[in-house]
Amino acid sequence: GWTDEPRILAAESIILLARYPVACTEDVRAAIRRLSTDPVPVIRVQIANRLECLYHTAPDLLWELLEYDATAEVNPTVLTDALHLLRRMPLTDASRTVTLTETIFARVNTSPKQNDVRDACIHVFCALYLYANNDPSTKIIQELIAHPNDHAHDLQRVILDLSAYYNSTDQPVRENAFVLTQQILTAVIQAMRCIEEANGNQAPLPTAVQETYGGLMRCADEVGQRVYLASGAFKNPNTDRAFLAPDLFYQHAKPLIVLLADIGHPHIAHHLLDTLQHFISLDPPGILLLVAEVVRTGSKYGYQNESLAEGLMVNIVERYLAEYRPILREHRECHAALMDILDVFVRVGSPPAHQLAYQLSDIYR
């Protein structure tokens, strides 16, 4: 055991014993039922954390204890453990699972102390939405999307959950994950624009709205980071992770990239440019136009003053000058985009940008 406290060890042991039909006697069940409502929270945690031990030997008791936790338990750790079990329940139990999860979600408030419980609830809702097309789960997620100002933290958790399926081999699940992310991002950006317009596009925003706006920006930033990490652009030494074929991922992610390109926040812009650089060979003209849009919008927030931005810009422009000169010659909009990119960095006195600008005549050689 991990502790010398006998009651904690006893609670842990008795629920583990209940996995075996020969040990799951009436006395053992009564003890588990009693310990599940013990006044000491750490005792209740031992039971809640291992309730799956009852799935085959005492399913009625399992659901009884889950229903009690959903309606009466107040300890966040116990509730989170119960929700983790609900997340692992088979889809055949989806109706009971979502009912109990809804009950818990309705009971907890939006204070930071309850974040772990709300996150665990959303984890259940997302899984049921993606794998079971569960109507109650869909309705709850849509309600969060409809009011992004009030549910920025919850939506950030939804985005994080959905991103785990961007590289899924299950096509309907993968497509639903991208579509729902796009829906969330659209609502978040619209809410941000409403705040900006309501405050006359002044910078900085009034203190009263900064927290709300910041929560929305964190949602958009989460999308940018997750797309970057899932795209394969991030060089992760872990070779066990599977990625979609680049062209397929780009097809799914492009609507998100287009939406993100119009935001301009430096952190979002940098992840976005790094992602776009990874896909240049798939769509050289389209990628260059998106890069120019990211640089233009990012310049409003001073992105061009960042040393990392300069290095990334140099890599992208040098690649186009080396590999895609015909595109720059034949597509006027691409040549204009390249000029716009360099102009942003030249204006802040970037030596590499000046050097690249002198090389533009080479395009026509």
Side-chain angles (χ1 to χ4, degrees):
W2 56 275
T3 176
D4 293 329
E5 294 295 330
R7 293 191 71 242
I8 296 176
L9 282 173
E12 178 186 12
S13 300
I14 201 163
I15 187 73
L16 291 173
L17 283 172
R19 290 178 298 174
Y20 305 101
V22 68
C24 194
T25 63
E26 287 299 325
D27 289 341
V28 167
R29 296 184 193 191
I32 291 171
R33 186 180 286 108
R34 183 175 67 254
L35 292 169
S36 69
T37 59
D38 194 275
V40 180
V42 72
I43 299 297
R44 302 201 302 276
V45 167
Q46 306 313 307
I47 302 300
N49 188 250
R50 299 169 178 83
L51 278 178
E52 68 269 22
C53 292
L54 303 175
Y55 187 79
H56 294 291
T57 55
D60 291 342
L61 178 59
L62 167 66
W63 286 105
E64 175 191 327
L65 299 184
L66 285 173
E67 288 170 8
Y68 173 83
D69 287 341
T71 56
E73 181 59 62
V74 295
N75 184 272
T77 304
V78 175
L79 287 173
T80 302
D81 285 341
L83 287 162
H84 288 333
L85 174 57
L86 288 169
R87 168 65 179 80
R88 299 193 298 271
M89 284 295 184
L91 293 182
T92 51
D93 295 318
S95 178
R96 300 178 80 171
T97 296
V98 74
T99 298
L100 296 182
T101 306
E102 282 183 290
T103 301
I104 297 172
F105 195 64
R107 288 176 53 213
V108 297
N109 56 41
T110 56
S111 71
K113 292 181 179 180
Q114 300 287 352
N115 279 349
D116 287 346
V117 180
R118 293 184 69 85
D119 289 352
C121 288
I122 288 170
H123 199 46
V124 176
F125 295 141
C126 284
L128 291 175
Y129 163 80
L130 291 171
Y131 282 101
N133 195 24
N134 182 264
D135 288 338
S137 297
T138 302
K139 182 178 179 182
I140 288 173
I141 294 173
Q142 292 298 329
E143 182 67 19
L144 299 177
I145 295 173
H147 301 91
N149 290 10
D150 300 324
H151 299 290
H153 175 85
D154 293 334
L155 289 175
Q156 192 174 352
R157 179 68 235 187
V158 176
I159 293 165
L160 185 60
D161 273 18
L162 293 175
S163 68
Y165 301 96
Y166 289 170
N167 285 299
S168 173
T169 56
D170 189 326
Q171 182 178 346
V173 169
R174 181 179 69 243
E175 291 177 349
N176 285 340
F178 274 106
V179 168
L180 188 57
T181 303
Q182 182 181 349
Q183 189 178 351
I184 294 170
L185 184 58
T186 301
V188 164
I189 292 176
Q190 184 178 1
M192 291 168 62
R193 298 294 176 253
C194 288
I195 291 176
E196 292 167 356
E197 292 172 5
N199 291 276
N201 291 311
Q202 60 177 305
L205 291 168
T207 305
V209 298
Q210 283 183 9
E211 184 176 350
T212 299
Y213 190 85
L216 295 170
M217 184 65 79
R218 284 190 291 275
C219 288
D221 186 47
E222 192 71 57
V223 176
Q225 289 189 67
R226 296 301 146 188
V227 169
Y228 167 64
L229 293 171
S231 67
F234 174 63
K235 305 307 178 186
N236 191 334
N238 181 7
T239 57
D240 295 335
R241 187 175 181 185
F243 294 96
L244 285 181
D247 57 339
L248 185 56
F249 187 93
Y250 179 63
Q251 176 187 336
H252 285 309
K254 187 175 180 179
L256 300 178
I257 293 172
V258 170
L259 288 171
L260 290 168
D262 195 42
I263 295 178
H265 187 278
H267 196 255
I268 296 174
H270 193 70
H271 277 124
L272 204 51
L273 289 177
D274 224 346
T275 305
L276 288 169
Q277 179 183 219
H278 181 65
F279 293 117
I280 287 176
S281 61
L282 298 177
D283 180 20
I287 293 293
L288 184 58
L289 296 179
L290 282 170
V291 168
E293 179 64 19
V294 174
V295 171
R296 278 193 292 266
T297 56
S299 67
K300 300 175 185 177
Y301 298 88
Y303 174 64
Q304 67 276 25
N305 297 308
E306 303 288 338
S307 59
L308 290 176
E310 182 183 73
L312 191 52
M313 178 276 299
V314 169
N315 290 340
I316 292 173
V317 173
E318 284 184 340
R319 184 170 175 187
Y320 271 93
L321 291 176
E323 301 178 29
Y324 301 105
R325 290 185 187 181
I327 290 174
L328 299 175
R329 288 195 298 265
E330 298 163 10
H331 295 76
R332 295 181 61 184
E333 67 276 15
C334 290
H335 187 274
L338 186 66
M339 294 291 291
D340 288 345
I341 294 168
L342 289 174
D343 183 61
V344 168
F345 285 89
V346 166
R347 286 178 181 274
V348 296
S350 166
H354 280 280
Q355 293 171 8
L356 290 169
Y358 294 143
Q359 299 177 31
L360 291 182
S361 59
D362 294 342
I363 296 172
Y364 300 98
R365 292 181 181 176

